[in-house]
Amino acid sequence: MTDPFQNISFLATVIQAVGIVLVAGLLLPMTRAIPGRFLRYWSLGWVCQAAGLFSLYASARYPEYRVESLIGYCLADYLFGFLLWAGCWDYAAGERLRAGHLLALGPPVIFGVTAPILLRDALHLFPFHVMVFGAMFLTALLATRRAPVRPHTPTIGLWLVRGSLAALVLLNVHYAAVGGYYVYFHPDGWPAYLEYTTLYDVLLQTGLAFGMVVLAADRMREELESRNRQLAAATEELAQAARTDTQTGLLNRRAFDELLNGPAAPADGSLAVIDLNDLKPLNDRYGHQAGDAALQHLARALRAHFRVTDPMFRVGGDEFVVVMVGCAEADLSARLARIDEALQGQRLPGVDGPIDLGVAWGVAGFAAAAGLMTAYDAADKAMYARKRTIKAQAKTSSHEFTVR
C-alpha cells in the first residue's frame, strides 16, 4: 500500500498554514473590542494547528526525525483541539480556563507522546490520532450548547461553527473507521478519495474559521450596541441632571425655559407661580440649613398635592412653578389652598419647635401653547399681589413665623 503521508507537499502545507495564521491574525485584533477570552483561545489554537501541519510535513521530509516530528504534530493538534473547546466554552458560558481544566489535556498528551514512539509512522498513527481529534471536536461542539441566543441577534456565525464542528466530528470518525480498516486489515488497498484528506480538512476548517469570524463580528456588534445604549443612557442622565434642581429634586429654570420655548409646551391648562414666604428672614434667623429644609418641605408638599404628570419647577431661590395641563384655574387654586395646611408644624434644623411655613401664589390659565408665557407673567403678578397682602397682615404681628 502506498503511504499517502509520504507525499505531503511543502507548498500545500505552507498555503494551508498561512491561511490558518491569517485567520488567527484576523481574530486576535478583535479581542480589544470584545469582552471574554474566546478569541484569544481560538487565535492561539489556530497557530498551534499551523505548527502541527509543519510537524507533519517534517515527519515525511526528514525520516531521521520522524518520531519527534509526529510527537510535535500530535501535541500541536491536541492543543488546538483543547483551545478550540476552551474558546467555545468561554463564548457560551463566559467562563475562562481554570487550572483544573488543564487536567483534561493529560490523556491526549500521554497518547501524543507514546503513540508515535510505538507506531513509528504517520500511516499507522492516523486512525488513532483522528479518533482523539474527533473526540476533541465533539467536546467543542457540546460546549456551544450553552451559547446564549438573544432576540434580534443573528445566529449564522454560531450555526456555521456548530455545523463545521459537527462535520469535522463525522469526518474524523469516518477517517478512524475507514482508515483503521485499510491500514490494519486491508493493507493492500487504500481508497482513492482518502488521498485528499487534506482538502477535506481545509474545507471544513475554513468553514469553522469563517464561522468564528462571523461569530466574533456579531459579538462585536452586540458589544458596540450595548456601549451605545450605555452612552445614550448616560447622556440622558446627564441631560436630566442638567434640568433638575439638586436641592429639591424638582425641575429647574432651564427645564422651565425649554417648556416655554420648546415644542412640548402644553396647548391648554393653568399655571401657578408659588413663593415661599420670608425665606431670607428664615435663613438669617435660623441659618441656611433651616431655609434649605423649608424649600424641601415645600417641594414635598407640591408633589403630594399634584399629579405625577404635572411639571413642577423651582425657577428661583424661593419661587416655584406648577403647570397643570388641561385643568382649569379653579382646580389649581383648590390644590394650592391646601398647601399652607400641609406646611404647618414643620421641623427645621436649628429651630427648637415646629414652625408654620406659608406660601404666596398666583394662578392664570392659558388656552394655547403661545399663551404659556403670558400666563406665567399674569400668575407672577398675582403671586406678588398676594405676597404684599400677606406682608401687610404680618406687620400686625411681632414675628414673621409662628414657632410652637
Side-chain angles (χ1 to χ4, degrees):
M1 177 176 62
T2 302
D3 185 351
F5 295 98
Q6 296 298 323
N7 300 318
I8 298 175
S9 166
F10 177 73
L11 180 60
T13 302
V14 169
I15 293 174
Q16 187 177 358
V18 168
I20 289 172
V21 172
L22 287 175
V23 170
L26 182 61
L27 293 174
L28 194 57
M30 295 183 179
T31 59
R32 300 176 182 176
I34 302 176
R37 296 175 175 267
F38 64 97
L39 289 180
R40 291 190 180 94
Y41 296 146
W42 286 344
S43 299
L44 183 57
W46 285 114
V47 172
C48 293
Q49 175 75 341
L53 291 173
F54 282 111
S55 295
L56 181 62
Y57 169 79
S59 70
R61 180 68 177 81
Y62 305 104
E64 64 273 22
Y65 301 109
R66 178 175 298 165
V67 173
E68 293 83 354
S69 299
L70 289 176
I71 291 175
Y73 165 62
C74 289
L75 295 182
D77 269 7
Y78 300 155
L79 187 55
F80 164 69
F82 177 76
L83 290 170
L84 178 63
W85 167 84
C88 292
W89 177 259
D90 180 84
Y91 174 84
E95 298 181 12
R96 58 186 297 177
L97 278 178
R98 297 190 298 270
H101 291 144
L102 297 176
L103 296 176
L105 266 178
V109 167
I110 293 173
F111 175 83
V113 173
T114 58
I117 295 174
L118 297 174
L119 300 175
R120 309 295 297 178
D121 63 64
L123 182 65
H124 289 85
L125 176 65
F126 175 71
F128 301 103
H129 171 70
V130 292
M131 186 180 299
V132 175
F133 209 31
M136 302 188 89
F137 283 125
L138 179 60
T139 60
L141 174 62
L142 295 176
T144 65
R145 292 184 303 171
R146 299 178 60 182
V149 179
R150 301 176 179 86
H152 312 296
T153 299
T155 57
I156 184 171
L158 181 60
W159 286 109
L160 274 172
V161 170
R162 286 175 173 172
S164 299
L165 288 173
L168 284 166
V169 171
L170 294 176
L171 184 66
N172 281 274
V173 169
H174 171 78
Y175 284 163
V178 176
Y181 170 76
Y182 280 100
V183 169
Y184 289 98
F185 301 103
H186 200 276
D188 295 331
W190 184 262
Y193 73 92
L194 286 185
E195 300 284 346
Y196 304 99
T197 56
T198 300
L199 176 61
Y200 309 142
D201 293 341
V202 167
L203 290 176
L204 292 181
Q205 289 179 10
T206 300
L208 177 61
F210 183 68
M212 289 177 175
V213 172
V214 175
L215 208 59
D218 289 343
R219 179 61 65 89
M220 181 181 292
R221 182 185 58 79
E222 291 178 12
E223 182 64 17
L224 289 175
E225 289 178 353
S226 175
R227 293 182 181 180
N228 286 337
R229 286 192 296 269
Q230 292 174 3
L231 180 60
T235 303
E236 178 63 25
E237 185 176 344
L238 288 173
Q240 184 62 27
R243 301 171 68 250
T244 302
D245 177 57
T246 56
Q247 195 168 57
T248 63
L250 302 181
L251 296 171
N252 59 16
R253 180 75 198 205
R254 176 179 178 179
F256 182 60
D257 290 339
E258 289 177 358
L259 181 67
L260 289 176
N261 304 311
D268 66 280
S270 54
L271 176 148
V273 176
I274 306 156
D275 185 90
L276 180 63
N277 292 335
D278 299 315
L279 178 61
K280 185 178 184 305
L282 182 66
N283 285 328
D284 293 341
R285 181 178 299 180
Y286 300 110
H288 285 280
Q289 286 187 341
D292 292 345
L295 291 170
Q296 292 164 3
H297 283 305
L298 176 54
R300 282 196 290 270
L302 292 175
R303 289 195 190 94
H305 288 82
F306 289 93
R307 302 170 301 187
V308 176
T309 55
D310 296 330
M312 288 169 274
F313 309 85
R314 182 189 177 199
V315 296
D318 55 359
E319 187 173 312
F320 296 76
V321 172
V322 176
V323 179
M324 289 193 72
V325 180
C327 288
E329 295 177 47
D331 186 10
L332 179 53
S333 297
R335 293 172 184 263
L336 290 170
R338 297 193 292 269
I339 294 295
D340 274 330
E341 298 176 9
L343 294 175
Q344 301 298 301
Q346 298 296 325
R347 292 282 184 176
L348 301 179
V351 182
D352 294 335
I355 188 169
D356 294 336
L357 302 173
V359 294
W361 47 269
V363 174
F366 58 93
L372 192 60
M373 188 65 198
T374 303
Y376 171 71
D377 291 337
D380 192 51
K381 292 177 181 178
M383 181 272 294
Y384 276 109
R386 184 182 292 266
K387 196 174 188 69
R388 285 192 294 270
T389 301
I390 293 172
K391 285 188 175 182
Q393 294 172 350
K395 288 180 180 179
T396 61
S397 174
S398 58
H399 300 286
E400 293 92 337
F401 303 100
T402 302
V403 180
R404 301 175 187 174

